[in-house]
């Protein structure tokens, strides 16, 4: 048995969905542990494409249990839509999907607050997905969130909702200059109870389920969303999401102790992308940046926004290896680089004063001011796409991977050469 955490090592969208889907074939249980429907995992199943926002992609495998962990924030209406969408495609979630009773809910006022705040920030926007993620986590930490376990159809709970709705309406009106329409607390209460009654068959103490699975010697996969540099503590703050996206988040948000974890796989794109605002030292504004965007089909799965694209950043990755304790790499989208003559890897940065940094410093004003120091490698100008055996890769593609491994001190156990499950090189098994 082994328990594996999969996380994004860059700014999200590394292609975790495919890697999780692949490993789900061997896993007995998949646990999502943070984030909400800001995530979007695109997975291909036969000739069908699914975008899952909340439900772990393990749901596509009949014998796998899927868990929405306590560390997530859940928009119940969106979750019900996702369950119904899967049902329409012949995938039944009953008895296979489990929702933590301690997970906090994204309430309608969280969505309104997210939008109104971004509008007010104008030039200093974070570029959120607008799904209410930040405000929901704020209320969780501020101890005025709503957890599934606490929803009740009675007057005491109604009083709580009345108070929260009136507080939020006040903030929207008087602080954020939101002009309406405002929320009606009776409606919010009623809708919440309707959602709860539909979701209640799935709700339980998921930490017990995870513990049982581990006790039985089964494989548990903890599925991260977003990426390391969107982490609330370790990311490019404040241009981050509001949860711990790093591997440690799997313990808090999945309800397991660190001693239960065997391997930590960092998914990393063969180049770099980012959506939303914030520093991105290796970003390209030229034809190569546009080429990567087009060739890699770099559009956000949740918002459809074009992703910013740039060279592979080993200096950034060094920090990701450290803060996650990554034991294995899964390199994705290698094939996107097939037509490039020359490739660059960022190995360090320099600020405008000429000071060198071997990895990303925390200070915001310095992060904005970094110029990458690049190492150049010859491209392979040949097809790596769809290759499934490492030795069959073009020589220069192998050299590119070897250099990444050398710079990061971690080996790549998986290399993805196309979007489909079978377009993958497995060099060593994670389970
Ligand atoms: P939020 O998570 O909606 O609050 O957005 C905060 C930041 O995280 C914004 O820059 C978003 O674009 C980014 N973000 C959130 N979810 C994802 C994701 O799944 N992939 C990539 N970026 C994301």
């Amino acid at each position: 048995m082994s328990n594996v955490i999969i996380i994004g090592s860059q700014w999200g969208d590394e292609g975790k969905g495919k890697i999780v889907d692949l490993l789900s074939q061997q896993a007995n249980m998949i646990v999502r542990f943070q984030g909400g429907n800001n995530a979007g995992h695109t997975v291909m199943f036969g000739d069908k494409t699914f975008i899952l926002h909340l439900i772990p992609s393990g749901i596509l495998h009949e014998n796998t249990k899927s868990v929405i962990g306590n560390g997530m924030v859940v928009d119940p209406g969106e979750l019900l839509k996702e369950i119904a969408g899967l049902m329409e495609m012949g995938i039944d979630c009953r008895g296979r999907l489990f929702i933590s009773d301690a997970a906090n809910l994204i309430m309608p006022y969280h969505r309104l607050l997210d939008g109104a705040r971004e509008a007010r920030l104008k030039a200093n926007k974070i570029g959120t997905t607008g799904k209410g993620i930040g405000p929901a986590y704020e209320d969780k930490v501020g101890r005025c969130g709503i957890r599934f376990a606490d929803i009740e159809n009675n007057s005491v709970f109604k009083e709580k909702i009345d108070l929260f709705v009136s507080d939020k309406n006040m903030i929207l009106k008087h602080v954020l200059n939101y002009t309406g329409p405002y929320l009606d607390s009776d409606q919010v209460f009623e809708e919440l109870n309707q959602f709860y009654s539909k979701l209640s068959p799935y709700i339980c103490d998921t930490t017990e389920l995870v513990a049982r699975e581990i006790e039985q010697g089964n494989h548990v996969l903890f599925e991260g969303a977003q990426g390391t540099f969107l982490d609330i503590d370790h990311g490019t703050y404040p241009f981050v999401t509001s949860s711990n996206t790093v591997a440690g988040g799997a313990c808090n948000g999945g309800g397991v102790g660190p001693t239960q974890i065997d391997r930590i796989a960092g998914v990393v794109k063969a180049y770099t992308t980012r959506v939303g605002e914030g520093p991105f030292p290796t970003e390209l504004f030229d034809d190569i940046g546009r080429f990567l965007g087009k060739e890699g089909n770099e559009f956000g799965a949740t918002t459809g926004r074009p992703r910013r694209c740039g060279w592979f950043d080993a200096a950034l990755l060094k920090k990701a290896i450290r803060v996650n304790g990554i034991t294995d790499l899964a390199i994705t989208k290698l094939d996107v680089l097939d037509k490039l003559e020359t490739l660059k890897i960022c190995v360090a940065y320099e600020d405008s004063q000429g000071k060198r940094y071997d990895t990303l410093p925390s200070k915001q004003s310095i992060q904005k001011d970094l110029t990458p120091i690049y190492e150049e490698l010859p491209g392979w100008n040949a097809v790596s796409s769809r290759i499934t055996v490492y030795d069959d890769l073009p020589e220069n593609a192998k050299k590119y991977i070897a250099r990444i491994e050398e710079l990061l001190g971690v080996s790549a156990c998986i290399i993805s050469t196309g979007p489909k499950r079978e377009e993958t090189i497995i060099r060593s098994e994670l389970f």
Side-chain angles (χ1 to χ4, degrees):
M1 76 91 195
S2 56
N3 303 312
V4 176
I5 301 175
I6 299 239
I7 47 93
S9 314
Q10 295 151 315
W11 278 287
D13 308 315
E14 295 91 353
K16 293 179 292 298
K18 170 180 161 171
I19 306 296
V20 170
D21 175 53
L22 203 72
L23 294 169
S24 300
Q25 299 178 100
Q26 291 151 279
N28 303 87
M29 177 179 270
I30 317 286
V31 182
R32 254 199 73 187
F33 56 85
Q34 47 71 229
N37 57 322
N38 47 350
H41 287 181
T42 308
V43 285
M44 294 180 83
F45 186 54
D47 48 7
K48 288 180 190 159
T49 300
F50 295 83
I51 300 184
L52 294 168
H53 297 283
L54 284 160
I55 300 177
S57 35
I59 201 76
L60 306 183
H61 300 272
E62 238 177 272
N63 299 319
T64 308
K65 299 183 190 104
S66 290
V67 172
I68 289 185
N70 57 278
M72 289 185 71
V73 283
V74 181
D75 186 323
E78 292 305 310
L79 179 55
L80 282 166
K81 274 190 218 156
E82 215 163 287
I83 293 171
L86 284 167
M87 187 64 111
E88 262 170 42
M89 287 183 265
I91 297 163
D92 191 347
C93 294
R94 284 172 301 185
R96 303 176 46 226
L97 173 67
F98 304 90
I99 305 167
S100 166
D101 55 6
N104 271 246
L105 274 81
I106 296 182
M107 299 290 287
Y109 43 77
H110 293 138
R111 288 192 301 268
L112 290 182
L113 286 167
D114 201 356
R117 266 205 217 135
E118 282 283 272
R120 191 158 180 267
L121 282 169
K122 293 193 180 102
N124 297 308
K125 279 189 205 325
I126 306 292
T128 72
T129 57
K131 305 289 181 190
I133 306 293
Y137 275 114
E138 276 170 43
D139 278 355
K140 171 181 172 173
V141 177
R143 295 164 292 187
C144 51
I146 293 179
R147 307 180 313 158
F148 281 111
D150 304 325
I151 299 172
E152 284 183 275
N153 196 354
N154 62 26
S155 58
V156 179
F157 186 65
K158 172 74 170 47
E159 248 177 59
K160 201 174 191 173
I161 297 289
D162 287 345
L163 184 73
F164 291 168
V165 170
S166 108
D167 281 359
K168 299 302 196 245
N169 277 342
M170 221 139 59
I171 294 169
L172 282 162
K173 185 169 183 179
H174 299 295
V175 180
L176 297 170
N177 302 327
Y178 171 79
T179 51
Y182 294 98
L183 291 168
D184 173 70
S185 119
D186 291 349
Q187 207 180 323
V188 171
F189 179 74
E190 236 164 75
E191 197 181 53
L192 188 58
N193 274 292
Q194 277 169 19
F195 286 149
Y196 181 71
S197 66
K198 288 185 187 148
L199 288 172
S200 61
Y202 301 98
I203 298 168
C204 61
D205 178 350
T206 52
T207 63
E208 278 180 15
L209 287 186
V210 177
R212 203 176 315 142
E213 208 69 26
I214 294 174
E215 267 162 35
Q216 286 169 359
N218 289 336
H219 296 315
V220 181
L221 183 65
F222 296 87
E223 172 183 351
Q226 291 87 42
T228 300
F229 294 94
L230 289 173
D231 182 276
I232 187 76
D233 288 287
H234 302 291
T236 44
Y237 192 89
F239 303 100
V240 292
T241 191
S242 298
S243 61
N244 281 115
T245 60
V246 294
C251 293
N252 303 332
V256 289
T259 48
Q260 309 283 13
I261 305 301
D262 300 288
R263 305 196 78 83
I264 298 170
V267 184
V268 57
K269 209 177 270 189
Y271 48 100
T272 315
T273 61
R274 159 162 219 177
V275 275
E277 304 301 320
F280 178 179
T282 63
E283 183 169 11
L284 291 167
F285 300 94
D286 58 5
D287 284 348
I288 297 181
R290 285 184 282 280
F291 167 85
L292 292 172
K294 189 159 172 274
E295 202 74 4
N297 192 25
E298 297 294 354
F299 295 93
T302 298
T303 58
R305 290 180 288 180
R307 297 177 185 141
R308 300 153 65 192
C309 299
W311 292 120
F312 187 86
D313 189 344
L316 185 82
L317 258 293
K318 277 184 223 160
K319 181 168 177 182
I321 302 289
R322 172 160 37 92
V323 297
N324 289 294
I326 291 172
T327 57
D328 303 83
L329 293 174
I331 300 179
T332 59
K333 292 195 149 182
L334 184 73
D335 54 300
V336 173
L337 306 179
D338 279 358
K339 295 180 193 146
L340 292 173
E341 290 289 332
T342 310
L343 300 168
K344 287 185 185 176
I345 296 180
C346 167
V347 291
Y349 314 107
E350 204 171 63
D351 68 14
S352 53
Q353 311 300 309
K355 184 172 172 199
R356 186 187 162 105
Y357 298 85
D358 288 325
T359 188
L360 194 75
S362 303
K363 202 171 169 66
Q364 277 178 54
S365 57
I366 302 176
Q367 286 178 354
K368 270 201 296 203
D369 181 39
L370 296 172
T371 306
I373 299 172
Y374 285 117
E375 208 175 87
E376 241 179 59
L377 283 90
W380 43 95
N381 222 336
V383 179
S384 76
S385 175
R386 293 191 286 278
I387 287 180
T388 56
V389 176
Y390 186 74
D391 285 340
D392 293 348
L393 281 176
E395 249 353 272
N396 284 347
K398 284 192 256 183
K399 284 187 184 150
Y400 184 68
I401 292 165
R403 185 63 186 135
I404 289 174
E405 291 178 322
E406 186 182 17
L407 285 164
L408 305 182
V410 183
S411 304
C413 63
I414 297 175
I415 296 154
S416 168
T417 56
K420 300 211 173 113
R421 252 188 215 168
E422 56 278 14
E423 294 167 341
T424 311
I425 299 167
I426 310 266
R427 286 166 88 200
S428 64
E429 298 286 348
L430 272 167
F431 282 120

